[in-house]
Amino acid sequence: MWQNLRGSRSAADFRTIDGMIYLPPAPQLAAFIVVAGLLTITPGADMALVMRHALGGGTRPAFFASLGICLGTLIWGAASALGVSVVFARSAFAFAVLKYVGGGYLVYLGARALISTTKGAKDAKETTNLRVFHGQWKAFAQGLFTNLLNPKVAVFYVTFLPQFVVPDRPILSQSVFLAATHVVVGLVWLTVYARFIDRMAAVLLTDRVKRRMEAATGAVLMALGIRLALARR
């Protein structure tokens, strides 16, 4: 009986060790989490979009926007692992096309945010009703396309991810695991950030001030779009 128990334990330990070889070593993983966390909390288009939805509709649409952003991150991470992202990192034409489309999309989102704040109280109330199902998935799509149309995310993964991948373990599984880790870190941060903005707005801000902040966020999105369109590789 004891021999069978030891045999079962040894087999389980072997399977655990065998599974671990598909993941990055602990030091590389810990370093990646620290660096990815610092990059995640750096203000940019993602945080501006989440703030815009948190002010306009509350935590729920902001969370759906965060889900879209993180799915876009995961897709770029997988594309990097499969070598697709290299096209945008090495091809000036592909990079330029995607950055112009992505920059135009951010300008479009920012312009819509500005317009929605100038339609008066009735339309502002309708904007707040982004909590409905359609508004949630609209926020999700905006978050997704904000990341998918940003070639700098592709370049980031091509240049950043390999630094934490060891050559003596499967490259694809390590890259996907690191990308998934980045997604989890980003989703946790954006969810906490959206909740904070929503609570702060509910307690401290009037509807008029919220509309002004939403308009300012729209202007930031437009500026980030122009910056992306003018960016170099």
Side-chain angles (χ1 to χ4, degrees):
M1 176 179 178
W2 290 108
Q3 290 179 345
N4 292 335
L5 182 60
R6 285 197 297 269
S8 299
R9 183 177 298 175
S10 298
D13 291 342
F14 177 78
R15 286 194 297 269
T16 301
I17 294 172
D18 187 55
M20 292 295 288
I21 68 171
Y22 292 96
L23 305 180
Q28 279 83 353
L29 179 58
F32 176 82
I33 292 174
V34 171
V35 176
L38 292 174
L39 292 173
T40 298
I41 64 177
T42 302
D46 294 350
M47 290 179 62
L49 184 65
V50 170
M51 183 177 185
R52 179 257 186 274
H53 282 290
L55 290 171
T59 303
R60 186 173 292 273
F63 175 72
F64 272 78
S66 302
L67 283 178
I69 290 167
C70 291
L71 178 59
T73 299
L74 184 60
I75 291 174
W76 274 124
S80 173
L82 295 172
V84 178
S85 297
V86 177
V87 175
F88 296 98
R90 296 183 178 178
S91 171
F93 177 76
F95 183 90
V97 170
L98 196 59
K99 77 171 184 176
Y100 289 135
V101 175
Y105 185 66
L106 285 177
V107 171
Y108 164 74
L109 292 180
R112 287 199 59 179
L114 286 172
I115 292 172
S116 69
T117 61
T118 60
K119 291 183 178 180
K122 179 179 179 180
D123 289 335
K125 183 177 180 180
E126 291 175 358
T127 302
T128 304
N129 289 332
L130 282 170
R131 297 178 186 273
V132 299
F133 179 82
H134 177 72
Q136 292 168 6
W137 288 104
K138 187 176 180 181
F140 174 83
Q142 290 180 358
L144 176 62
F145 286 112
T146 294
N147 253 10
L148 286 183
L149 297 176
N150 189 347
K152 296 178 71 175
V153 180
V155 175
F156 163 79
Y157 270 112
V158 170
T159 58
F160 178 71
L161 218 59
Q163 300 179 46
F164 301 90
V165 173
V166 294
D168 58 343
R169 298 188 181 189
I171 303 298
L172 179 60
S173 62
Q174 291 184 82
S175 300
V176 172
F177 184 82
L178 289 174
T181 302
H182 190 197
V183 167
V184 172
V185 172
L187 184 59
V188 170
W189 163 248
L190 290 175
T191 301
V192 172
Y193 174 71
R195 182 66 177 174
F196 169 76
I197 294 296
D198 183 43
R199 290 298 89 200
M200 181 191 70
V203 173
L204 301 177
L205 304 180
T206 64
D207 288 341
R208 184 177 181 181
V209 174
K210 283 195 290 186
R211 287 197 298 273
R212 288 182 177 179
M213 289 187 64
E214 190 177 350
T217 305
V220 170
L221 284 171
M222 294 180 69
L224 289 171
I226 295 172
R227 180 184 177 186
L228 176 60
L230 297 178
R232 296 182 178 181
R233 287 188 297 165

